[in-house]
Amino acid sequence: NEYKSYLSMSEEGLNVIVVLGYKLNNNGTPCNILVERARTAAALYHSLEGNTRRVILPTGHGGTSYVTEAEAISRIIRTEGNVPEEDIILEEQARSTVTNGTLCWPILRDLLKEHGRCTLHLVTSSFHMARSRYIFTLLFKPLLEMNKMSIVGHESLNTFATTAQADEAKAKEAQLLEFLESRQHSALEAGVAQIQQDVYEMFKTYV
């Protein structure tokens, strides 16, 4: 597991809390899994008080006509978590974990240009963490190697109604991770190439 060697617990500089979305209920309300991710992010935000700037970055579209996953997260962390709106940046187009990473990159790139370095706090459910961490670490590997970014995982509670549902989700995640590790996912590989080029342009003196 090559990606694990680049993980760090550093909290220096800018802290960006990336909250991964999850499908909404049919009526557009957030499901329990998404609520727990949002609550975990809000608690983390307040635990980092006193550090350099803190930003929460909810990501996810969701495909409903009611509200995006990112906006649903934002509402929870503002109303329940007392996180000020000015510390929330939404990414509302992603429809997969891979695009969570690739579509967050333009926002992260602008923050890095301003701050030079960041710790990316990745918030998702425990059943989803291994695949999410693999994707984000692969995408941002050049920044990790240059010590321009650290990645820290924060697992929220799983709230499946039954053990069978939980086991099914874990099995599906294991299959998806195995496919990603085969390096045949075209969108992921395109994202890796694009971010590598962008990082070179940003930090030419470091490469």
Side-chain angles (χ1 to χ4, degrees):
N1 292 327
E2 175 189 14
Y3 64 95
K4 289 184 178 179
S5 64
Y6 295 107
L7 295 179
S8 168
M9 290 302 294
S10 172
E11 294 183 355
E12 298 174 0
L14 174 68
N15 289 278
V16 183
I17 302 168
V18 177
V19 196
L20 303 188
Y22 193 81
K23 60 184 178 182
L24 303 171
N25 295 321
N26 291 334
N27 62 359
T29 59
C31 65
N32 290 336
I33 287 176
L34 192 63
V35 170
E36 289 300 329
R37 292 183 188 183
R39 288 172 174 168
T40 299
L44 176 60
Y45 172 88
H46 291 295
S47 76
L48 294 170
E49 187 174 0
N51 284 269
T52 308
R53 186 183 175 196
R54 300 163 292 166
V55 174
I56 297 185
L57 174 48
T59 169
H61 180 278
T64 74
S65 58
Y66 297 96
V67 64
T68 64
E69 295 166 1
E71 176 57 31
I73 294 168
S74 176
R75 291 178 182 180
I76 296 167
I77 62 178
R78 283 185 283 118
T79 57
E80 288 190 27
N82 296 313
V83 174
E85 189 171 1
E86 59 265 27
D87 285 346
I88 302 170
I89 305 174
L90 300 184
E91 185 296 298
E92 299 184 275
Q93 300 303 315
R95 295 175 182 266
S96 68
T97 309
V98 169
T99 52
N100 285 146
T102 57
L103 294 175
C104 279
W105 168 236
I107 298 170
L108 293 168
R109 181 179 59 205
D110 289 344
L111 291 170
L112 281 166
K113 287 179 179 178
E114 180 181 354
H115 295 273
R117 189 188 186 284
C118 78
T119 297
L120 190 157
H121 299 271
L122 187 61
V123 176
T124 191
S125 310
S126 58
F127 74 89
H128 187 230
M129 182 58 77
R131 182 163 64 95
S132 303
R133 191 169 57 185
Y134 177 83
I135 290 169
F136 275 72
T137 305
L138 188 62
L139 287 171
F140 302 125
K141 184 177 177 181
L143 292 165
L144 297 166
E145 292 178 327
M146 296 161 57
N147 197 32
K148 294 295 181 183
M149 178 185 286
S150 301
I151 297 178
V152 185
H154 301 269
E155 297 180 349
S156 61
L157 294 175
N158 294 331
T159 54
F160 291 106
T162 66
T163 302
Q165 288 178 339
D167 290 342
E168 181 182 355
K170 291 175 184 177
K172 180 180 178 181
E173 284 295 315
Q175 291 176 345
L176 291 170
L177 178 57
E178 184 178 1
F179 174 65
L180 291 175
E181 290 176 330
S182 72
R183 303 300 297 269
Q184 299 180 59
H185 193 295
S186 58
L188 178 58
E189 297 306 314
V192 168
Q194 182 61 59
I195 291 172
Q196 184 176 28
Q197 179 61 35
D198 290 350
V199 170
Y200 172 76
E201 293 297 326
M202 288 173 63
F203 301 107
K204 285 181 180 178
T205 57
Y206 293 93
V207 177

